[in-house]
Amino acid sequence: MTSPSWLSRAAGVGLCSVSIGFVVLFVFVLETGGDLTLITRPLPMQIALALPPVIAILAAVTAGGAILAWWHSYWSLRIRLHQTVLAVLGVGFSWQLATLGFLPV
């Protein structure tokens, strides 16, 4: 459970889960609370706004794991490609979150 290949896949799963959770929670809070939720910041909004740094960390770990997977040939070609796509999407999503002001740069 502490091997780099296992940690890389776990980071990829965590990245997907936390990213989807952020989007769903953020949209849900905005739909139920209206535009003032960005100013008043109720507890669900505070939770949603705490997730982007976690997403950035998981994206970095997933990208590092994808590099290690290619370097050491951890898995089959198909799985390495899948991990690379997850890493690229995670880094792209983190960049978008930083551009929108959710991540301090």
Side-chain angles (χ1 to χ4, degrees):
M1 288 178 67
T2 59
S3 69
S5 63
W6 189 89
L7 292 174
S8 176
R9 293 297 284 176
V13 170
L15 173 65
C16 294
S17 302
V18 174
S19 297
I20 291 171
F22 167 74
V23 171
V24 168
L25 183 61
F26 189 77
V27 170
F28 175 76
V29 171
L30 282 181
E31 287 296 318
T32 58
D35 293 336
L36 288 179
T37 55
L38 294 174
I39 297 170
T40 59
R41 293 196 182 179
L43 181 62
M45 181 58 82
Q46 291 176 10
I47 293 170
L49 293 177
L51 293 178
V54 176
I55 292 170
I57 291 168
L58 288 172
V61 172
T62 302
I67 292 169
L68 286 176
W70 284 103
W71 188 269
H72 297 291
S73 300
Y74 285 146
W75 310 296
S76 67
L77 177 63
R78 189 174 80 187
I79 296 174
R80 281 183 279 170
L81 285 172
H82 180 261
Q83 188 74 7
T84 303
V85 168
L86 281 179
V88 168
L89 290 174
V91 169
F93 188 55
S94 296
W95 174 78
Q96 188 66 36
L97 289 173
T99 301
L100 292 173
F102 290 106
L103 286 173
V105 184

